[in-house]
Amino acid sequence: MNQSVRRSNAFIWTWTIFVLVLVYLPIACGALAGLSKSRYFGFPVAAWSTDWWSRAIDSFEVQQIVKTSVAIALIVTVVAVIVAFFGALAFARYDWKGRRLYQKLVLLPIFFPQPVLGLALLLWMNAVGIQPTWQTAIFAHLVWIVPVVTLVIAIQVYGFDPTLEEAAADLGAGRLFVLREITLPILWPGVWSGALFAFLLSWGNFPLSLYTTGADSTVPEWLYAKMVAGYTPMVPAIGTMSTLAAATLLLTGGLILALLRWRAGKVAA
Amino acid sequence: MTAAALAQNPPKPILQLVGVRKTFGDFAAVERIDLDIRDGEFLTIVGPSGSGKTTLLRMLAGMEAPSDGEISLKGIRINDMPPSQRPTCLVFQSLALFPHKTVGENIEFPLKVKGVAPAARKQRALELLRLVRLPETHYGKNVMKCSGGERQRVALARALAYDPEVLFFDEPLSALDYKLRKVMEKELKDLHRESGKTFIYITHSLEEAMVMSDRIGVMQSGRLVQVGTPEEIYTRPSTKFVSEFMGEVNVFDAAHENGVWRIDGVEGPANLALPTAMTSAQKAAVVVRPEFMRFVDAPGGADNCLKGVVFNQYSLGSRIQYQVRVAEKTFLLELSRANARKAEGDEALIGWDARDAIVVEA
């Protein structure tokens, strides 16, 4: 092997390891903090324990906030995917008057600072007399997440050949049949990615939830509250669980996508 | 039916266009086209890009509505009938095969729309695979893994599965390499005969049109300038444009002065000999195919002779093409190797006979 190639290979390895350490060390610290017996984190860990994990799992309070967070994230996912799917078709599939303006307007909320957006939503709710609860947080999440999901699905839609729909219609298919047999199956990977994004962005969202859940609390809010006052290692324990769950979800999503691709690429010969 | 009987009693038109127009804003893509398309014929519309042939086809297929005029299918007006309701089917330039479906699923698509049972669908798909000369083992193959020629055949089989009265083709062969295109042209013609359906094909290649068609329509800036059999189009082009579209030809303007025809910009021949006596017209365009021009030894060796200088020669394989400059004009000659006895720079006397010239509208 050429020496300069070997040197650049070594550099690539060093660099990737450096980046991974940089990104995962804090997460590892969090994980360790949740697994040590003592209330306050020290390194090296003096005594190991899964006590905080089991306490977190058994805590009624934690179960409640997880339920709230999951409920919000699931509803946000379903609504965001439906709204963003058709939004993405308008964004990337059809050419219509005002499309460029729509493309800009729909993406604007992404760049709006979330704490400000959250506060603005709270003020607006107060003004129209809506009591903030976890349901209002769904709306708040949607304001920010729909644009993101629209963008994710639109990327897939840009690669979609509209003549496929024309061809299907020409072969006698009605609009719904075309949507079911042609448009949706081809856009599935984008829809899946969009759904994953929607769920994870909602699950991990703090600034919007802080202002718009009212008396209810989501996992990030609860973690924050505990860190501000009344810290226990349940915080890093739940943080770790949440990370693991998200990783599992992403892996499952990746597997499903790979499966879809494999099925599309299967050769029966 | 004999040719004479056909001429006396032509088959009923399956598609009829009366004054069909399509405008986009101020731009008229298609200008008042009247055309009867006969049941079972292979009609090709040729024209350069931008001549409106694709727009015309999209109107026939129902993907665009005419701005004016009437399109009727078997006597029924179909101007506003959506493509999904029309008994017609278009084979797209991109083929528009469904990438997430297998070859079999693609072919079965129109049958699935109609609600045909899976077993019957499969049987029909296998029949169609045979018809388009694909092995049955391709049934389960991923359509994206098929070669260019195989994809053409799948697209064709899918269109035939719809069992349309009329099949439209939007230059589907343009992406293939030359050799495969030649094979597919002939297969398409065979398939036309075997299926007995009406084929309407559009292309910018007159060569392709010549091989396949019963009739050819030539389009120029939104108008249908000539419709006829390949033979008629080749031997009797009605305009300069049609003759030039046929490939490389010699076209020159001629003027009638003092009872004599002269080529514009060229001294002599004293009196241009034309195939028909034309005394009324003042101006005409004359077309002479390169293969009808030859080198002559002395003036009088052909009905029309011109003196010039050879300034280019190209080998076309069995034939050689010469460019001969006469005054400011360039003439093309195409000769078999046996008659090719001039070199670049030589003076040459070129000539052609009056019967080989075609007079068209200037």
Side-chain angles (χ1 to χ4, degrees):
Chain A
M1 200 195 289
N2 187 311
Q3 194 172 2
S4 74
V5 172
R6 205 176 316 157
R7 203 178 304 144
S8 82
N9 264 346
F11 179 74
I12 290 170
W13 273 105
T14 322
W15 187 257
T16 25
I17 289 168
F18 170 70
V19 169
L20 286 176
V21 167
L22 198 73
V23 172
Y24 279 92
L25 200 61
I27 297 175
C29 278
L32 290 177
L35 283 168
S36 71
K37 200 173 172 65
S38 63
R39 193 170 184 89
Y40 297 100
F41 184 54
F43 193 81
V45 177
W48 300 90
S49 153
T50 54
D51 199 29
W52 298 112
W53 276 64
S54 47
R55 270 210 240 176
I57 291 165
D58 291 340
S59 156
F60 178 71
E61 195 189 359
V62 172
Q63 284 168 9
Q64 284 309 304
I65 56 143
V66 169
K67 256 187 219 161
T68 310
S69 268
V70 169
I72 293 175
L74 281 178
I75 297 172
V76 165
T77 303
V78 172
V79 178
V81 166
I82 294 171
V83 173
F85 177 75
F86 295 104
L89 289 184
F91 192 99
R93 159 78 176 80
Y94 296 100
D95 209 2
W96 47 286
K97 217 176 175 176
R99 178 170 94 145
R100 300 189 71 85
L101 184 66
Y102 161 76
Q103 286 177 334
K104 288 182 182 77
L105 285 179
V106 84
L107 294 185
L108 216 55
I110 299 179
F111 303 104
F112 207 71
Q114 287 191 61
V116 183
L117 184 60
L119 182 64
L121 280 162
L122 180 63
L123 292 174
W124 176 79
M125 280 182 236
N126 275 337
V128 292
I130 297 171
Q131 181 73 31
T133 62
W134 66 273
Q135 286 105 325
T136 51
I138 291 172
F139 176 70
H141 283 195
L142 284 172
V143 171
W144 194 71
I145 289 172
V146 165
V148 177
V149 181
T150 303
L151 199 62
V152 171
I153 299 179
I155 291 166
Q156 185 85 29
V157 177
Y158 270 117
F160 179 77
D161 176 10
T163 56
L164 296 179
E165 286 180 347
E166 264 187 337
D170 190 42
L171 291 164
R175 276 182 167 270
L176 264 177
F177 197 87
V178 175
L179 184 71
R180 201 179 69 216
E181 286 280 330
I182 308 299
T183 318
L184 263 180
I186 294 175
L187 296 180
W188 260 134
V191 173
W192 271 108
S193 316
L196 273 178
F197 263 94
F199 189 89
L200 293 175
L201 288 176
S202 168
W203 172 260
N205 188 284
F206 173 66
L208 291 171
S209 300
L210 179 67
Y211 289 102
T212 55
T213 48
D216 297 319
S217 188
T218 64
V219 173
E221 275 183 273
W222 183 85
L223 292 175
Y224 177 74
K226 282 289 164 196
M227 280 184 274
V228 169
Y231 172 86
T232 77
M234 271 162 68
V235 169
I238 290 173
T240 313
M241 283 184 231
S242 166
T243 308
L244 287 177
T248 316
L249 192 65
L250 275 177
L251 275 177
T252 321
L255 276 176
I256 290 172
L257 280 184
L259 194 78
L260 283 176
R261 237 169 260 141
W262 175 79
R263 269 193 42 180
K266 81 182 154 165
V267 183
Chain B
M1 238 191 287
T2 63
L6 266 171
Q8 282 254 309
N9 193 8
K12 273 208 163 70
I14 184 158
L15 267 170
Q16 200 163 27
L17 284 79
V18 181
V20 171
R21 253 180 116 233
K22 178 70 184 179
T23 50
F24 296 103
D26 291 337
F27 172 69
V30 170
E31 275 287 9
R32 284 194 191 80
I33 286 188
D34 298 301
L35 178 67
D36 283 357
I37 296 161
R38 299 168 193 152
D39 197 0
E41 80 171 323
F42 196 134
L43 174 77
T44 303
I45 306 284
V46 279
S49 51
S51 60
K53 58 188 193 300
T54 301
T55 309
L56 177 64
L57 193 76
R58 288 179 64 84
M59 283 194 281
L60 293 178
M63 284 150 203
E64 302 277 0
S67 313
D68 223 335
E70 195 155 304
I71 302 174
S72 37
L73 185 104
K74 288 184 162 173
I76 299 159
R77 183 188 143 105
I78 56 163
N79 278 29
D80 308 312
M81 192 185 277
S84 59
Q85 314 271 304
R86 295 189 186 197
T88 61
C89 185
L90 170 62
V91 177
F92 287 78
Q93 183 164 22
S94 66
L95 303 180
L97 293 172
F98 307 132
H100 58 300
K101 292 180 181 286
T102 62
V103 168
E105 286 167 340
N106 264 281
I107 299 174
E108 286 176 17
F109 184 82
L111 302 172
K112 197 170 173 184
V113 174
K114 281 181 196 157
V116 177
R121 279 198 323 238
K122 181 165 183 178
Q123 196 194 344
R124 180 76 185 127
L126 292 175
E127 277 171 29
L128 287 164
L129 278 174
R130 270 197 299 280
L131 184 69
V132 297
R133 298 167 180 83
L134 276 176
E136 286 188 4
T137 46
H138 272 53
Y139 180 82
K141 190 171 175 175
N142 179 344
V143 79
M144 299 317 280
K145 294 217 166 104
C146 291
S147 70
E150 287 170 347
R151 286 186 201 190
Q152 299 283 340
R153 293 184 166 96
V154 176
L156 212 59
R158 186 179 69 180
L160 286 169
Y162 184 57
D163 198 22
E165 306 256 3
V166 184
L167 266 102
F168 303 112
F169 297 87
D170 184 2
E171 302 198 47
L173 304 183
S174 58
L176 298 180
D177 64 67
Y178 183 79
K179 234 173 127 181
L180 188 54
R181 200 161 66 231
K182 292 285 134 198
V183 173
M184 291 303 297
E185 282 169 9
K186 300 210 165 88
E187 278 190 21
L188 211 56
K189 196 176 165 76
D190 290 345
L191 203 67
H192 170 247
R193 194 176 326 109
E194 284 163 35
S195 66
K197 298 197 183 294
T198 308
F199 279 30
I200 300 174
Y201 194 99
I202 70 163
T203 176
H204 60 266
S205 155
L206 200 68
E207 197 193 342
E208 202 167 281
M210 285 290 196
V211 175
M212 299 187 292
S213 325
D214 297 324
R215 283 199 305 162
I216 295 173
V218 182
M219 277 188 86
Q220 179 192 14
S221 32
R223 291 169 196 281
L224 202 53
V225 285
Q226 190 176 4
V227 183
T229 63
E231 185 67 18
E232 282 166 1
I233 300 274
Y234 188 81
T235 56
R236 294 197 294 280
S238 65
T239 69
K240 215 164 141 179
F241 173 81
V242 175
S243 65
E244 280 174 322
F245 199 67
M246 289 290 311
E248 292 181 298
V249 289
N250 295 294
V251 185
F252 41 84
D253 294 318
H256 197 207
E257 290 163 7
N258 309 323
V260 194
W261 282 94
R262 289 183 186 285
I263 303 174
D264 281 3
V266 175
E267 296 295 316
N271 185 4
L272 183 65
L274 294 173
T276 45
M278 298 197 14
T279 46
S280 57
Q282 289 305 304
K283 279 188 152 306
V286 179
V287 179
V288 184
R289 295 194 182 289
E291 60 268 31
F292 291 140
M293 289 231 170
R294 61 180 188 270
F295 292 125
V296 290
D297 297 323
D303 294 350
N304 298 295
C305 291
L306 292 172
K307 202 169 178 183
V309 178
V310 176
F311 84 100
N312 257 328
Q313 77 177 67
Y314 311 97
S315 169
L316 305 175
S318 63
R319 304 176 73 75
I320 295 198
Q321 198 180 61
Y322 286 95
Q323 280 184 325
V324 176
R325 200 161 254 185
V326 178
E328 292 300 298
K329 293 195 79 71
T330 304
F331 288 84
L332 267 180
L333 285 78
E334 212 178 291
L335 301 167
S336 65
R337 280 183 180 277
N339 297 324
R341 52 201 153 75
K342 294 280 179 188
E344 280 172 33
D346 287 358
E347 288 224 330
L349 202 55
I350 59 171
W352 71 93
D353 292 328
R355 63 183 145 84
D356 294 328
I358 305 160
V359 179
V360 297
E361 291 167 29

